[in-house]
Amino acid sequence: MTGSPRPRAVAVTGLGLITPAGVSREETWAGVLRGRSTADTDPELKGCPVDFSCRIPAMAPEQGRIGGRKAWRMGRFTQLAVLAAREAVADAGLDPASWDGARVAVVIGSGLAGAAHLEAQTLRHHQGGPDLVTPSLIPMLIPNMAAGEVSADLGTHGPSLATETACSSGATALAVARDLLLSGACDIAIAGGAEAAVTPVVTTGFARMGALSGRVDRPEEASRPFAADRDGFVIAEGAAVLVLERPADAAARGRRGYAHLAGAGLTSDAHHPTAPSPGGEYAEAALRAALAEAGLSAADVDHVNAHGTSTPLNDRTEAELIGRVLPHGPSVTAPKGVLGHTLGAAGAVEAALTALSIRDSRVPPIANLGARGSGSGSPYDIDCVTGTVREQRVTAAVSHSFGFGGHNVVLLLTAP
């Protein structure tokens, strides 16, 4: 490896995060580094077969933070995207009042978008008729509105796109945004994911298909990626937005950035609506494609931010993938142990956390995973970080994201 940017690398110059661990970038990072689950019993899920989740901590109402009446037309996932985008743009040192908005792109992914509002408004229609349905239902519902409202809020006039690849939507957004930058379609890309779908019907749907942990008596121990006794994920909400620029443009502004997004690999399993392909061969193809784009070998990877959902099939397939392609034993973390599964936002959240690991030379521990040989330990031959933060200089890391429908996305980030 060299310190010079790879030909297809873009710089990550700003980060915005709102997650169950905190309502800002640094609050989230501090919470993830503590390595304790944020899961708790959720009063809104009372009566559901699984009645716990990972919720964003209480903060000033989104409507008040956004300002004006426009917040009332936005779905919650859109509100979270707008707030995360504001933080990311400010963090990058950019001023929307002075940039050329025609050269700024927005790409925001979401898995279930406004499902929460459709559920609530369907109930109102059933109970009181059509007059009780809000006129804002469609803007609250459709998945492109996160990108559209971020664009309107920041005054951008370049491409504005929505990605929908289930739980890899946020990672797909980053890959698409990178391609827009490299094609010359924009000079700045604001990209990420947002999700706010912790509702009784959605949660029950996941529970009925066997995807959620059933540890209702100890929700704080439920999300346990790579543990031998894992039994499913914990549903969560959140948003992450990253600012991407070409390295030369960032340097001209005096910005080195957190990391370089140096490669992306996207493949499809074409196997099953919800289960990963048993051999993981197409997830492996995505990983190898990301390595090839970055001009790196597998041996160059020193850290993996795993998809790590805490489901039996996903974690086994992913652990086997890591052991097969990266047998030299890079450190492995899985933020869903702390944050739960933020669904369509997860890929962007985890890419942002990977960039922070590169910045700080710190790898967070996996919540609820003991050391090898303990009762809750991992049975896999991979180097899971457990217990406390690992101090480690990270020079090349991969962030895995996999989604229902067989979507595989691997992002490769390097030190700037």
Side-chain angles (χ1 to χ4, degrees), residues 66 70-75 78-79 81-82 85-86 106 108 139-140 144-156 160:
I66 290 171
K70 65 183 180 181
W72 296 102
R73 73 189 182 213
M74 298 181 189
T78 297
Q79 294 171 1
V82 168
R86 286 181 182 177
V106 177
I108 305 292
M140 287 179 166
N144 69 297
M145 277 299 170
E149 291 284 12
V150 168
S151 177
D153 189 67
L154 298 174
T156 73
S160 177

Side-chain angles (χ1 to χ4, degrees), residues 194-258:
E195 200 80 273
V198 183
T199 74
V201 171
V202 170
T203 303
T204 298
F206 279 120
R208 291 281 292 161
M209 68 187 297
L212 299 185
S213 170
R215 288 182 164 87
V216 293
D217 295 331
R218 298 296 297 256
E220 70 280 5
E221 297 178 2
S223 187
R224 46 205 310 113
F226 299 112
D229 57 351
R230 66 194 183 278
D231 69 330
F233 69 78
V234 178
I235 193 168
E237 59 182 0
V241 173
L242 289 71
V243 175
L244 307 179
E245 301 177 69
R246 288 181 286 271
D249 294 340
R253 297 195 304 112
R255 294 277 170 163
R256 185 165 178 258
Y258 291 87

Side-chain angles (χ1 to χ4, degrees), residues 210-362:
L212 299 185
S213 170
R215 288 182 164 87
V216 293
D217 295 331
R218 298 296 297 256
E220 70 280 5
E221 297 178 2
S223 187
R224 46 205 310 113
F226 299 112
D229 57 351
R230 66 194 183 278
D231 69 330
F233 69 78
V234 178
I235 193 168
E237 59 182 0
V241 173
L242 289 71
V243 175
L244 307 179
E245 301 177 69
R246 288 181 286 271
D249 294 340
R253 297 195 304 112
R255 294 277 170 163
R256 185 165 178 258
Y258 291 87
H260 286 160
L261 178 51
L266 291 81
T267 64
S268 300
D269 281 348
H271 167 69
H272 187 273
T274 59
S277 180
E281 64 268 39
Y282 298 103
E284 177 177 338
L287 173 53
R288 293 194 183 280
L291 287 165
E293 276 207 336
L296 300 179
S297 71
D300 290 320
V301 174
D302 47 29
H303 174 53
V304 177
N305 193 304
H307 188 58
T309 56
S310 186
T311 57
L313 282 179
N314 176 88
D315 287 12
R316 184 184 69 199
T317 302
E318 187 174 16
E320 291 171 351
L321 165 68
I322 295 168
R324 182 170 65 250
V325 183
L326 307 171
H328 56 287
S331 61
V332 178
T333 194
K336 292 181 181 70
V338 172
L339 302 176
H341 195 343
T342 55
L343 307 177
V349 169
E350 289 156 12
L353 296 174
T354 304
L356 289 166
S357 279
I358 291 172
R359 180 194 70 176
D360 290 354
S361 297
R362 307 187 84 192

Side-chain angles (χ1 to χ4, degrees), residues 56 59-67 71 76 79-80 83:
I56 292 169
M59 60 178 174
E62 289 84 351
Q63 293 89 344
R65 295 183 71 191
I66 290 171
R76 179 167 163 79
Q79 294 171 1
L80 297 177
L83 294 173

